[in-house]
Amino acid sequence: MDISLYTFAIGFVIFWGLILAFRKRLEPKGFIIYPLFLMWKKSTRSLWFPRLASSKPFKIYEKIAMILGILAMIGGITMIYYVIFGLIFHPQSTTVRLEPIIPGVTISLSCLPYILLALGISVTLHELSHAVSATSNKINVKSGGFILLGIFPGAFVEPEDEEFMASSLPAKIKILAAGIAVNLILAGIFFPLAIFLPGYFSQGLLIEGVIPHSSAYNASIQAGDVILSVNGIRTNTFNSLTTALNQSTNYTIVLKAPNGSTIVKHAEAKNHFLGVYVTYYFPPSVRPFLLFVTWMFIINFSLALFNAAPLIITDGGKIFTELLKKISSQNGEKMSMAIQAFLLMSLVYAIMLSITA
């Protein structure tokens, strides 16, 4: 086992061991504790940012949120079945997977702090949007709090149940969709940053692997080297490397070795294929910022689509139920639960296919 993973596992067990050991002392203070589940809940203010809630820009936001919520619901359902059909009928060419985030297994432990920070910010803004929208629609907020599931933080607010159930369908959808919309908007903000900033800050292309008997292999180019230029063309991005390789078949390659020295290698590739796996090379000071930006996009896009999909416990599930109740007041809720149960099983199946593919 990797030493960092071993340390993480020990810390994880100790933390939850202490939480369970002090369970009787924590529960009177408002904590609800189960194995790997910690929730702190308390009564909160009834109104949240009333000036913002009553402002014209927020009213416009709520209307946009209704549209975004429905579109995200459709997108979440589409993504589930796109993965299922892709992995069943085109397993070799399908690149989209639905894999859970498991530190040390599906993601590097080095990414964990950025994931937790992005998740904490995104979930907090999500729940604040629900609270402000409740105030906007004249519904009091009765409680709020924080959740820790394993290592993943969360937050929640609860409108007054009777007031929420007595409100109009548009008001309910606005409140439920407000959180979905803020995650979609954040994903839209961070997507171009995650796409363009790496190339802007890149100082070369780090070689992660070399294909045996390829042009790079024959030229003694090794993993850990950084490609700075090819035939005088700076190679800070994947496109610049492709452009440089396509202009010739004989290459003078300037590299930065792992020890920091600059070396020059000569290679020949008649098919313009160098034979290396590369990624961006960043200054150490920039890497944390870029990782945060990337995970802010991934977390918010994932939260928006999954939370919008009708999956019983999600905001999308509640919207779906309210819509079906409007269509059929007697059987709408039962129909909704049956459909959502089927969609939830489909999601589990898509995850299983992604893991085993």
Side-chain angles (χ1 to χ4, degrees):
M1 181 183 290
D2 181 79
I3 186 64
S4 60
L5 181 58
Y6 182 80
T7 304
F8 170 78
I10 293 295
F12 180 82
V13 171
I14 291 175
F15 173 81
W16 280 106
L18 290 173
I19 292 294
L20 292 173
F22 288 96
R23 180 176 180 175
K24 291 184 178 180
R25 294 187 181 183
L26 291 171
E27 287 180 340
K29 300 181 183 297
F31 288 92
I32 299 172
I33 300 171
Y34 295 99
L36 304 185
F37 178 86
L38 175 68
M39 180 171 74
W40 179 74
K41 177 181 178 181
K42 67 171 294 184
S43 299
T44 183
R45 67 179 77 176
S46 298
L47 303 178
W48 285 75
F49 304 104
R51 285 189 179 182
L52 172 62
S54 61
S55 67
K56 186 176 180 180
F58 191 80
K59 297 292 185 182
I60 295 173
Y61 166 76
E62 286 185 305
K63 293 178 181 179
I64 296 172
M66 294 175 70
I67 299 172
L68 292 178
I70 300 298
L71 291 176
M73 181 189 296
I74 296 170
I77 297 171
T78 302
M79 181 178 62
I80 292 171
Y81 289 104
Y82 176 82
V83 170
I84 290 174
F85 288 115
L87 291 176
I88 290 176
F89 298 108
H90 306 285
Q92 301 301 323
S93 60
T94 300
T95 57
V96 179
R97 300 282 194 276
L98 293 179
E99 296 183 351
I101 295 176
I102 304 175
V105 180
T106 59
I107 61 157
S108 169
L109 282 176
S110 63
C111 294
L112 187 58
Y114 309 103
I115 294 173
L116 296 180
L117 178 61
L119 187 61
I121 293 172
S122 303
V123 171
T124 299
L125 292 176
H126 175 103
E127 295 302 329
L128 280 175
S129 296
H130 285 314
V132 176
S133 185
T135 299
S136 173
N137 288 279
K138 314 301 181 186
I139 297 173
N140 291 318
V141 177
K142 67 177 182 179
S143 64
F146 296 93
I147 294 173
L148 183 65
L149 183 60
I151 59 171
F152 299 108
F156 66 93
V157 295
E158 294 180 315
E160 287 287 350
D161 294 331
E162 293 183 2
E163 294 179 14
F164 180 82
M165 296 308 297
S167 63
S168 66
L169 178 61
K172 292 176 182 177
I173 295 178
K174 286 176 184 177
I175 295 169
L176 293 168
I180 299 171
V182 78
N183 290 135
L184 272 180
I185 291 170
L186 286 171
I189 291 172
F190 282 95
F191 176 70
L193 296 178
I195 292 296
F196 296 111
L197 285 183
Y200 178 79
F201 284 108
S202 175
Q203 294 185 343
L205 295 176
L206 174 65
I207 299 174
E208 294 188 315
V210 178
I211 298 175
H213 310 296
S214 64
S215 298
Y217 179 88
N218 294 333
S220 300
I221 296 173
Q222 301 176 354
D225 292 340
V226 177
I227 304 176
L228 301 178
S229 68
V230 176
N231 291 345
I233 300 174
R234 291 186 61 189
T235 52
N236 291 349
T237 65
F238 306 128
N239 287 337
S240 62
L241 176 61
T242 300
T243 299
L245 294 177
N246 287 338
Q247 288 186 2
S248 178
T249 57
N250 290 286
Y251 309 117
T252 299
I253 304 172
V254 179
L255 300 164
K256 181 179 179 180
N259 62 8
S261 63
T262 301
I263 56 177
V264 178
K265 298 284 186 177
H266 298 279
E268 181 180 355
K270 294 181 179 179
N271 57 359
H272 307 285
F273 181 71
L274 191 59
V276 292
Y277 299 104
V278 295
T279 188
Y280 291 114
Y281 175 73
F282 306 114
S285 59
V286 175
R287 181 177 170 80
F289 170 69
L290 294 178
L291 281 171
F292 171 72
V293 167
T294 299
W295 281 107
M296 277 295 289
F297 164 69
I298 294 172
I299 292 295
N300 279 283
F301 184 73
S302 301
L303 281 176
L305 290 193
F306 283 115
N307 193 42
L311 300 171
I312 298 181
I313 60 173
T314 61
D315 290 332
K318 296 172 184 176
I319 293 174
F320 192 69
T321 297
E322 294 300 329
L323 291 173
L324 287 190
K325 284 167 62 177
K326 186 69 174 179
I327 297 172
S328 175
S329 57
Q330 294 183 341
N331 300 316
E333 189 165 358
K334 291 182 179 179
M335 291 171 55
S336 177
M337 290 299 104
I339 294 171
Q340 290 184 61
F342 178 78
L343 290 171
L344 183 58
M345 288 188 292
S346 298
L347 173 62
V348 173
Y349 183 52
I351 293 173
M352 291 174 62
L353 283 176
S354 298
I355 294 173
T356 58

